[in-house]
Amino acid sequence: MTKAPSTDGKAARAVLQLRELISRMAVGARIPSERDLAEEWGVARMTARKAIEALAHEGLLERRRGSGTFVAPRPQARMVGLSGFTADMQRAGRTARAETLSFEEVPADATLAASLGIAEGEPVVRFRRLRLADDVPMAVETTYIARSSAPSLGPDDLDGSLIDLLVERFGRRPGQATSTIHAVGAPADIADHLDVDEGHPCLLVDMRYLDAGRRPLMTAECLYSGDRYHLDVTLTAGAIDDGTSR
């Protein structure tokens, strides 16, 4: 966990002033520059910078390299499960879209073959997509699907819901998803797409999907910007072990 920027008395007052300012601004609005805020408040530019850093740390502001600092939306919640990014965004009243960053067919190595239930060397479609909500970069997803599961899948098919596509075109309905979640720093190539700094806190979710017949369907590595996303996980009573059953 990153440490919150420290604040002295002047910076603390600046934080209050900045908090009050952004409370009147719309999500996505650009705030004044450090220089302008410092002049308005009669403080040093470093004090204005500390105030911005403090609220950015809280997730109230979003810095975009080369563009400025903007009022951030509340972090988007995603239920780890079968609904998919598009459905999650629709429930939140946001417009989801995808940009395909790469698309290729590769032979399955031993690990990938085992995950997808195919023979080593069989063709696998591997593609990477940038997922956006209201045009804000939220995640980069790298997905692997056996070519035999989606024979006609191409890069032009990937601008919407992959789950809907698998159901409607290929008759493969997801029936179970297993997730492993890690806290990581954004690697340089991913950071560029998410418009964050290298090392920015992110959530890496490794997903493995089975279809309704419990056959392997696909695997995905999803990297979410930590300040724009949080993940909800629902557990049933049977999934909770407090140690008393041993």
Side-chain angles (χ1 to χ4, degrees):
M1 182 177 295
T2 57
K3 184 179 179 180
S6 61
T7 57
D8 55 24
K10 289 183 179 180
R13 287 193 294 274
V15 167
L16 293 176
Q17 290 174 293
L18 184 55
R19 195 186 300 275
E20 197 276 332
L21 171 65
I22 66 175
S23 71
R24 304 192 305 269
M25 300 175 69
V27 169
R30 182 177 176 174
I31 70 168
S33 68
E34 293 175 2
R35 185 190 304 272
D36 290 340
L37 290 173
E39 291 179 357
E40 180 180 346
W41 297 337
V43 297
R45 185 170 174 177
M46 179 59 71
T47 300
R49 181 178 302 169
K50 286 182 178 180
I52 292 172
E53 289 174 350
L55 294 194
H57 178 82
E58 291 183 25
L60 299 178
L61 293 175
E62 181 178 88
R63 283 181 155 172
R64 302 177 192 169
R65 288 179 295 175
S67 300
T69 304
F70 299 80
V71 179
R74 294 186 61 186
Q76 180 62 48
R78 177 172 186 185
M79 178 66 70
V80 178
L82 298 177
S83 59
F85 182 90
T86 299
D88 289 335
M89 295 304 104
Q90 289 174 342
R91 281 194 295 270
R94 305 182 70 177
T95 301
R97 67 181 181 90
E99 294 180 2
T100 301
L101 304 175
S102 64
F103 186 96
E104 58 186 337
E105 188 172 296
V106 298
D109 60 19
T111 300
L112 195 54
S115 296
L116 294 176
I118 58 177
E120 188 173 350
E122 284 195 31
V124 171
V125 177
R126 178 176 64 196
F127 53 89
R128 175 171 285 181
R129 297 190 297 170
L130 175 65
R131 307 310 307 270
L132 303 100
D134 297 337
D135 290 326
V136 175
M138 304 288 280
V140 172
E141 300 175 346
T142 305
T143 305
Y144 303 83
I145 302 176
R147 175 53 87 184
S148 58
S149 294
S152 62
L153 182 67
D156 294 337
D157 299 319
L158 301 175
D159 58 348
S161 169
L162 178 61
I163 288 178
D164 288 349
L165 178 68
L166 290 171
V167 172
E168 294 166 7
R169 184 187 295 184
F170 303 111
R172 301 292 299 276
R173 181 179 299 279
Q176 179 179 318
T178 303
S179 305
T180 304
I181 304 171
H182 315 267
V184 300
D189 58 334
I190 301 293
D192 286 341
H193 294 303
L194 291 177
D195 195 19
V196 298
D197 293 328
E198 182 178 358
H200 180 82
C202 290
L203 294 174
L204 175 62
V205 183
D206 292 323
M207 302 283 290
R208 182 183 178 191
Y209 291 83
L210 304 181
D211 67 11
R214 299 188 63 79
R215 298 171 297 173
L217 177 56
M218 62 180 174
T219 65
E221 299 167 357
C222 310
L223 193 73
Y224 299 97
S225 179
D227 58 344
R228 300 171 197 163
Y229 236 91
H230 71 262
L231 297 168
D232 291 337
V233 180
T234 298
L235 298 176
T236 61
I240 301 173
D241 182 0
D242 62 2
T244 59
S245 59
R246 297 181 199 163

